[in-house]
Amino acid sequence: MNYLSFVLRQKRILTFGFSFTFFSSFGQTFLISLFVPYFLQDFNLTNAEFGSLYSVATLGSAAILPYLGRLIDHLPLKQYGMYVAIGLLVASITLALSWHVALLFVALLLLRLSGQGLSSHTAQTAMARYFIQERGKALSISSLGYPMGEGVFPLIVAGMLSLLSWRMTWAAFALVIALLFIPFIQLVLNESHTSRLDELKSGDTDSGDSRKFYQRILSDSHFWLLVPAVLLPAFWATALFLYQISIAEQLGWTSGLLATAFVAFAGTRIVSSLGVGPLIDRWSAHTLFPFYLLPFGAGLVVAWFHPGSWSAFLYMGLLGVTMGMGSNIKSALWAELYGEEVIGTVRSLFSALMVFSTALSPFMIGWLLDHDVAMTTILTGAIGSILLATILAFMAFKYE
């Protein structure tokens, strides 16, 4: 696959992308969830109250994302990256200094926007725009920041919380962003990278009218056929991971077993992310896209049958395959369908929809569980939706 020679040749721009996916961890649910017990205690919140606060913050970031995300098509990448990193810095400082629940909400909104939303958006847009022949491999390398963050940060947070308060921990995160991440952005890209990327940025989108451009996307039949397949993996994964204890109890697994099975999720996510890159370069993203949901659906089927403890690892591993392939295939797909020069605008729209869906799924699945709907029934609905989304994705490219 010549990954090593590719990384050595393009190490600066690839490291730029990797750094943004890695530091997006500050705004991801897996890291914020580690501080929830402290938020509940210090702000006198119930689980339901914090859940509502978090969902509203996530929805708010989804609403803002299309407006800020499309700016990457108009601004120099280094400048845009600096703005995103500064947003992450402000969010961390706000959380460290928050003394009222209103400030907690503002901090969560900024973390979700600059971390989960814009940091991921910056990395994937830069890779999809800069690389054409080796776009798949570039997206695969930059996406490794996600599982690396998932593996490293929980250990770091556990160690820091044993020595420091949660506020001091976030103050330390702010220092890392200010002293390491922001200077790194300034140094990593050389003149050849910035000129190549800035040549591809769009000064105007459909004569400067982004509203018309969004209307063009929304009138495209591809959009409506692809949306279910784009949104459903994150939708179901968010809910299934959030309620994993209920899943374990109903399916006969222990919560410890399911937590251990996350190793399979992380491992297959890394392998599939690296493996799909050369496949994108060889066969194109729109050829692969209709197939990427199949491992996710197979994992849900395994969970539905749950024949034994080993099935928890197979279930999580298959989900990891789809999550690893998904971000790379989708980022490459937008460049193929709409062009590199406006990929930031397109990605910001789909990213906003994805964030919106992940905010809704906990409400829906939580309501079903509260009304004693069996997990096998929920899984049946999930399998059916994945099957329907796969059929629609095949229809989207039927005549291509």
Side-chain angles (χ1 to χ4, degrees):
M1 292 184 184
N2 295 321
Y3 258 114
L4 181 58
S5 61
F6 173 64
V7 170
L8 292 176
R9 280 187 287 110
Q10 304 288 353
K11 56 183 177 295
R12 284 179 171 267
I13 183 68
L14 292 174
T15 306
F16 175 87
F18 176 89
S19 69
F20 273 92
T21 57
F22 182 75
F23 281 101
S24 75
S25 298
F26 290 138
Q28 302 284 6
T29 299
F30 81 87
L31 189 143
I32 296 173
S33 65
L34 301 175
F35 296 89
V36 170
Y38 302 96
F39 296 155
L40 301 183
Q41 180 179 340
D42 285 12
F43 294 98
N44 195 26
L45 296 170
T46 65
N47 281 294
E49 289 170 342
F50 177 78
S52 299
L53 192 76
Y54 189 66
S55 292
V56 173
T58 302
L59 290 172
S61 71
I64 299 170
L65 187 57
Y67 299 98
L68 298 184
R70 69 182 180 85
L71 294 178
I72 198 171
D73 291 333
H74 309 278
L75 297 174
L77 180 65
K78 186 180 288 189
Q79 180 183 351
Y80 187 85
M82 281 293 297
Y83 289 154
V84 173
I86 290 171
L88 203 55
L89 174 63
V90 172
S92 301
I93 294 173
T94 303
L95 188 54
L97 298 178
S98 59
W99 68 88
H100 190 274
V101 69
L103 275 180
L104 173 64
F105 172 78
V106 172
L108 291 174
L109 173 63
L110 292 174
L111 281 173
R112 298 295 277 165
L113 177 62
S114 58
Q116 183 205 30
L118 293 176
S119 291
S120 301
H121 175 65
T122 301
Q124 300 298 80
T125 300
M127 297 304 100
R129 174 173 293 160
Y130 186 82
F131 296 96
I132 298 177
Q133 299 299 324
E134 298 175 297
R135 179 179 292 144
K137 290 197 287 291
L139 289 165
S140 295
I141 294 296
S142 68
S143 293
L144 290 179
Y146 298 124
M148 287 292 292
E150 292 163 358
V152 170
F153 277 114
L155 298 175
I156 293 175
V157 170
M160 294 179 71
L161 289 175
S162 66
L163 301 172
L164 304 171
S165 69
W166 69 267
R167 296 179 190 277
M168 289 301 296
T169 299
W170 278 99
F173 287 161
L175 282 176
V176 170
I177 295 169
L179 300 180
L180 293 180
F181 187 34
I182 290 178
F184 176 80
I185 295 170
Q186 289 294 310
L187 296 173
V188 68
L189 296 182
N190 59 33
E191 187 61 33
S192 64
H193 296 129
T194 53
S195 12
R196 159 71 178 156
L197 287 160
D198 293 344
E199 281 173 7
L200 291 170
K201 71 182 176 62
S202 171
D204 296 289
T205 302
D206 277 356
S207 302
D209 191 344
S210 60
R211 183 178 299 176
K212 288 182 179 179
F213 184 73
Y214 283 132
Q215 289 173 350
R216 181 164 70 86
I217 295 176
L218 294 173
S219 64
D220 182 5
S221 61
H222 285 97
F223 175 84
W224 297 107
L225 292 172
L226 297 177
V227 160
V230 171
L231 301 184
L232 281 176
F235 176 89
W236 285 115
T238 299
L240 294 174
F241 291 171
L242 186 62
Y243 297 109
Q244 60 181 294
I245 295 178
S246 296
I247 293 174
E249 290 175 351
Q250 291 199 36
L251 300 184
W253 299 331
T254 65
S255 57
L257 174 68
L258 202 53
T260 306
F262 266 89
V263 175
F265 176 82
T268 56
R269 181 170 180 174
I270 291 173
V271 172
S272 63
S273 178
L274 288 173
V276 78
L279 300 180
I280 293 172
D281 296 334
R282 182 174 181 179
W283 286 307
S284 80
H286 72 265
T287 301
L288 298 174
F289 181 81
F291 297 95
Y292 99 100
L293 280 179
L294 296 179
F296 198 98
L300 295 175
V301 171
V302 169
W304 193 91
F305 282 104
H306 54 279
S309 297
W310 59 269
S311 61
F313 291 87
L314 183 57
Y315 155 69
M316 291 297 290
L318 288 168
L319 263 58
V321 172
T322 287
M323 301 306 286
M325 294 191 299
S327 62
N328 302 336
I329 291 177
K330 287 181 284 189
S331 293
L333 182 65
W334 309 145
E336 291 176 13
L337 290 179
Y338 301 106
E340 294 89 353
E341 67 277 2
V342 292
I343 188 175
T345 302
V346 178
R347 279 201 83 261
S348 64
L349 175 61
F350 279 97
S351 295
L353 292 173
M354 185 272 293
V355 174
F356 183 80
S357 72
T358 59
L360 294 181
S361 62
F363 282 120
M364 189 186 83
I365 304 304
W367 185 89
L368 292 173
L369 292 173
D370 287 343
H371 287 76
D372 299 320
V373 176
M375 183 53 64
T376 51
T377 302
I378 295 174
L379 289 172
T380 300
I383 293 167
S385 68
I386 292 293
L387 179 61
L388 177 60
T390 300
I391 294 172
L392 293 175
F394 274 105
M395 289 175 60
F397 302 110
K398 181 178 179 181
Y399 302 106
E400 294 191 13

